[in-house]
Amino acid sequence: MELSLRAIAYGFAATLVIGLLSGFTVPFTSFTLPTIGYILTGIIGGFVAGYMVTTGTTDGAINGLVATTVGAIFVAIGLVLFNILFTGVFFGLTTFAAAIVIIAIAGIPGALGGAVGSMMHDRSAERAGRPAA
């Protein structure tokens, strides 16, 4: 088992960007960005982390799990703070309780995405190594 900080950083960044931008409403308009669920966000973040790993599918899954879990923690902190600021303490704490469950569940799609990303990286490296006929 090898943790790649570079892969975790890329997966974390992907999870953070997608998680924070998903479902935002532009103030004073009726425009809302498309909502991407936590499962798809975890799969994408895990895929990015897994694709960066070159040591195997298991390491891709572990790096994807770590990246999406850390990303989900930061997204949850941001959402809880926004809810406390704009809706009050009660709804902010309710969001915090829901966020703990989401963080616990976020690692599963991240690990799946990391394993798939690592497999895709291995396949693309295989094709690149073949000589042209």
Side-chain angles (χ1 to χ4, degrees):
M1 178 179 80
E2 182 178 327
L3 291 177
S4 170
L5 292 180
R6 182 176 177 199
I8 291 171
Y10 280 120
F12 165 75
T15 303
L16 189 67
V17 168
I18 293 169
L20 287 178
L21 290 179
S22 174
F24 264 173
T25 301
V26 179
F28 307 113
T29 66
S30 62
F31 180 72
T32 304
L33 295 175
T35 302
I36 298 175
Y38 291 104
I39 293 174
L40 189 58
T41 302
I43 289 174
I44 293 171
F47 182 85
V48 170
Y51 194 80
M52 299 297 296
V53 174
T54 59
T55 56
T57 307
T58 305
D59 287 342
I62 291 170
N63 282 292
L65 179 122
V66 171
T68 55
T69 303
V70 172
I73 289 170
F74 278 88
V75 168
I77 289 170
L79 292 177
V80 167
L81 290 177
F82 279 128
N83 275 331
I84 288 174
L85 288 174
F86 295 115
T87 62
V89 176
F90 176 74
F91 290 112
L93 293 177
T94 306
T95 305
F96 177 71
I100 290 176
V101 173
I102 291 169
I103 290 169
I105 296 173
I108 297 168
L112 177 67
V116 171
S118 182
M119 286 189 289
M120 294 301 288
H121 180 77
D122 291 344
R123 289 191 63 183
S124 64
E126 232 177 70
R127 285 191 207 130
R130 291 184 196 161

